[in-house]
């Protein structure tokens, strides 16, 4: 939040931004604080030439005032790029679930596999029924960087199917990427700590293993702390062991 003392200065700065998308974003943030400036933010949003950025701005405004949902929807439907159109429709479905089916259909038309998977993950965040579909689509990704990124995003969902996702995570060859997904899973209330600890033990790189153990020590029930401690003291590299122990203590 902006101190009211500095609001006028923030408004003047926002108006001086040359890039229309960034200027709109700044004005929308100010309109969130003081609705007096909503009309100015709306006018600026409508003037954005790029259809995808214009839609994003209108969706943000529709979040403030649902009166403008129809305009945002019409603009989203007119986007030529299929990935951008699907992304916009998913954001609108997040505001009004009536449009979920349309957003799903738009996502399914996306040809680029990595984009399609990320769109499915966004849909799964709205309706958990699509979690497994998103996971299966992620498994089909050949590029491991994108595969690990998709699993990491899936791990952030409230509706995460822990055991099935962990099985997929084990197949990540790069240990640093695998560790990042395990760190996300360690923060879930539904996490099976024993399975997570087993997956962590399999990481050969001690720095990556220590990073996961730190998260486990922070988020798992106290009953598992002795097991975590045992894995920590097995680390041979002094700096990595010390870093993990400091979080344990």
């Amino acid at each position: 939040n902006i101190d009211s003392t500095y609001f006028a200065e923030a408004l003047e700065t926002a108006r001086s931004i040359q890039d229309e998308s960034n200027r709109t974003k700044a004005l929308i943030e100010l309109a969130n604080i003081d609705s007096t400036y909503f009309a100015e933010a709306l006018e600026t949003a409508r003037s954005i030439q790029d259809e995808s950025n214009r839609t994003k701005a209108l969706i943000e405004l529709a979040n403030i005032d649902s009166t403008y949902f129809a305009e945002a929807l019409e603009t989203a439907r007119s986007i030529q790029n299929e990935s951008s159109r699907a992304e916009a429709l998913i954001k609108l479905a997040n505001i009004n679930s009536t449009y979920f089916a349309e957003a799903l259909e738009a996502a399914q038309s996306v040809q680029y596999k990595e984009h399609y998977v990320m769109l499915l993950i966004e849909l799964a965040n709205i309706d958990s029924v699509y979690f497994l579909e998103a996971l299966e689509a992620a498994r089909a990704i050949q590029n491991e960087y994108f595969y690990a990124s998709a699993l990491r995003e899936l791990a952030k969902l409230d509706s995460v199917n822990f055991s099935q996702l962990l099985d997929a995570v084990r197949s990540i060859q790069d240990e640093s990427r695998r560790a990042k997904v395990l760190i996300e899973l360690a923060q879930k209330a539904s996490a099976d700590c024993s399975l997570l600890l087993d997956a962590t033990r399999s990481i050969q790189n001690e720095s990556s293993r220590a990073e996961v153990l730190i998260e486990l020590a922070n988020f798992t029930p106290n009953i598992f702390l002795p097991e975590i401690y045992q894995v920590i003291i097995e680390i041979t590299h002094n700096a990595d062991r010390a870093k993990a122990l400091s979080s344990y203590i």
Side-chain angles (χ1 to χ4, degrees), residues 3-220:
D3 187 315
S4 58
T5 309
Y6 302 102
F7 189 91
E9 183 179 348
L11 177 61
E12 183 181 353
T13 304
R15 285 170 171 167
S16 69
I17 297 172
Q18 295 300 307
D19 180 85
E20 56 187 6
S21 295
N22 290 332
R23 182 168 69 255
T24 303
K25 185 177 179 181
L27 287 170
I28 289 171
E29 288 179 8
L30 292 172
N32 251 321
I33 300 169
D34 187 341
S35 59
T36 305
Y37 299 95
F38 185 92
E40 182 176 351
L42 176 62
E43 182 182 355
T44 310
R46 285 170 171 165
S47 71
I48 297 174
Q49 295 302 305
D50 180 85
E51 59 183 5
S52 179
N53 289 334
R54 182 168 69 255
T55 304
K56 287 177 183 176
L58 288 171
I59 290 170
E60 286 189 54
L61 289 166
N63 261 316
I64 301 173
D65 186 342
S66 60
T67 306
Y68 296 93
F69 184 92
E71 181 177 350
L73 178 62
E74 182 182 355
T75 309
R77 286 170 171 166
S78 70
I79 296 174
Q80 296 301 305
N81 180 279
E82 57 183 11
S83 292
S84 298
R85 181 171 65 254
E87 184 180 352
L89 288 169
I90 289 169
K91 283 183 168 60
L92 288 166
N94 208 15
I95 300 172
N96 186 337
S97 60
T98 305
Y99 298 93
F100 186 91
E102 182 178 351
L104 176 61
E105 183 179 356
Q108 290 171 336
S109 71
V110 174
Q111 298 300 307
Y112 187 52
K113 188 180 296 181
E114 285 78 4
H115 286 179
Y116 169 62
V117 170
M118 289 304 183
L119 291 168
L120 271 182
I121 292 170
E122 289 187 49
L123 288 166
N125 193 37
I126 301 173
D127 187 342
S128 60
V129 169
Y130 292 91
F131 179 88
L132 292 180
E133 184 175 343
L135 178 57
E136 285 308 306
R139 285 181 182 273
I141 296 176
Q142 299 298 310
N143 182 297
E144 189 172 81
Y145 169 79
F146 288 114
Y147 175 54
S149 297
L151 295 185
R152 192 175 180 186
E153 291 305 309
L154 281 167
K156 295 176 182 178
L157 300 183
D158 293 334
S159 59
V160 61
N161 185 310
F162 181 85
S163 59
Q164 294 201 41
L165 183 54
L166 183 59
D167 283 343
V169 174
R170 291 179 188 275
S171 68
I172 299 174
Q173 297 300 306
D174 184 282
E175 292 191 325
S176 174
R177 291 171 185 159
R178 194 191 322 155
K180 287 177 181 177
V181 187
L182 291 174
I183 286 170
E184 290 292 341
L185 284 174
Q187 299 173 34
K188 310 300 292 186
S190 60
D192 185 316
C193 300
S194 295
L195 290 177
L196 262 180
L197 198 53
D198 286 342
T200 305
R201 274 196 177 102
S202 71
I203 297 176
Q204 297 300 306
N205 181 287
E206 291 191 328
S207 177
S208 294
R209 195 191 319 156
E211 287 178 5
V212 183
L213 289 168
I214 288 169
E215 293 303 312
L216 282 171
N218 286 332
F219 288 97
T220 57

